[in-house]
Structure formats: structure tokens, C-alpha cells
Amino acid sequence: MAMQPDEVLAILRETGVIREGHFLLTSGMHSDRFLLLAQVLQYPRHAERLCREMAEPFREAGVEVVVGPAVGGIILAYEVARALGARAIFAEKVEGGGMALRRGFQLRPGERVLVVEDAISTGGSVRKVLDAIAPFGPEVVGVSALVDRTGGQVDFGVPTRAVLTLSVPAWPPEACPLCRAGVELVRPKG
């Protein structure tokens, strides 16, 4: 049976994922809430259950490889791949701001790929993974996220599903009300 949003939120709260304050997101945007999803992934029972939820919408898609961005997507890729009986790989940051497959990871042309992400804020990391795998010519069957912070507003051109969808505000620094109010900016991953 599919997890209900309140169940997912309870797990995220219990494990300290949801933070409130003034945060600098990876995208450069500012927000009053940050989801430190690594906190929930340190508990294998939660990681397994949440990743099964991520896999479920793609169970019949014939996924052969699950790709996540390093570092946040490595555990997700592994657990989702395990749930789907697929292979798990990850893309790493490279000089210049993009991502690439390294460590001998490759894809075959036409190989059916699912891209996973912990949280979608602007979609930048997912787009970098899609760009990294494009030269291999895979068939991307979808994107699966643990949390979509955009309320479903990001379009990757493939089916996109999230275990939990939230509408969390994010502002460019020059329009941030928290900056104007003098609230200290925190780099939560730092």
C-alpha cells in the first residue's frame, strides 16, 4: 500500500530532515525551509521503504539502470535499483559545474534509465545528470524524487514522480524577504 503524505512527513520530522530558518540552496536561491534528506537515509529501514515508494510508479517501465547524482543520490540510486532489480550508478560533479559518469560507468544506447534525486528545488541537478548521460543515448523513462519542493512545477520532458510534493518558497537573493529582515543566512550542507 502506498505511503500517505502524512506518513512521509512524520518520518522526515522524526529523523530531523525538515529545517526552518534562512537557507542558501544549492541552486543559489534562498528559502525558509531546508530538507536535509541525508538525515533520513542514514536509517536503512526508512531508506528502503521510501525508495520502494520512489520505484513503484516505474515498476512496469522496464528500468535497467537507475542513475543518481553524487553524493545525495547514491543511496537513492542503489535502493531504487534494488527495488526494481536494476543496476545502480551515479554521476559526479566535474570542473565547470556539470556532471559526468566516471569510475568506468557507462550506458548502452537505448538502455532504459530512471534518474533519481533526493529533493527537486529548481531541477538543476537532475538536468545535469540528464546532460551527463545523453551522449550514451539511453532511453530515459522518468525521474523519481523523494521530495519535490516545487509543487510539481518542474518539467524534465519525461514522467516525473515524487514520494512527497511540497510547495516550499524559494527566492533569488535580491528578492529574499529574509535577507531584507536581516535573518542570518545558513549554508546547511556546509
Side-chain angles (χ1 to χ4, degrees):
M1 180 161 70
M3 293 179 75
Q4 297 302 308
D6 59 336
E7 288 179 88
V8 178
L9 279 169
I11 291 170
L12 299 184
R13 284 189 183 107
E14 169 194 327
T15 57
V17 167
I18 301 172
R19 311 284 170 104
E20 294 185 2
H22 182 196
F23 301 102
L24 176 62
L25 305 178
T26 305
S27 65
M29 303 284 275
H30 293 196
S31 183
D32 62 354
R33 277 180 275 165
F34 188 79
L35 305 172
L36 195 55
L37 288 156
Q39 292 297 305
V40 72
L41 298 176
Q42 68 181 318
Y43 301 101
R45 73 181 189 281
H46 293 315
E48 179 183 15
R49 185 170 182 210
L50 292 167
C51 289
R52 275 197 323 260
E53 290 292 319
M54 290 175 67
E56 194 54 39
F58 299 96
R59 186 149 313 279
E60 303 303 319
V63 174
E64 298 172 279
V65 182
V66 178
V67 183
V71 167
I74 294 174
I75 293 171
L76 294 173
Y78 183 85
E79 285 292 332
V80 171
R82 184 162 64 141
L84 294 172
R87 188 164 59 100
I89 64 175
F90 56 89
E92 298 179 67
K93 290 180 183 179
V94 294
E95 198 171 310
M99 290 192 173
L101 296 184
R102 292 183 162 172
R103 302 172 195 266
F105 292 145
Q106 294 188 24
L107 297 167
R108 293 185 317 275
E111 199 162 26
R112 297 178 64 79
V113 172
L114 176 64
V115 175
V116 296
E117 175 64 302
D118 57 357
I120 296 172
S121 294
T122 63
S125 292
V126 170
R127 285 188 180 88
K128 288 177 184 179
V129 171
L130 291 168
D131 289 346
I133 65 175
F136 294 93
E139 181 181 345
V140 179
V141 300
V143 172
S144 186
L146 190 48
V147 178
D148 178 354
R149 295 174 40 106
T150 74
Q153 298 302 306
V154 177
D155 182 5
F156 299 110
V158 295
T160 302
R161 305 289 181 269
V163 174
L164 182 65
T165 300
L166 302 171
S167 290
V168 180
W171 309 279
E174 63 276 5
C176 177
L178 300 168
C179 286
R180 284 195 302 272
V183 177
E184 182 181 351
L185 182 66
V186 175
R187 290 172 171 76
K189 291 184 178 179

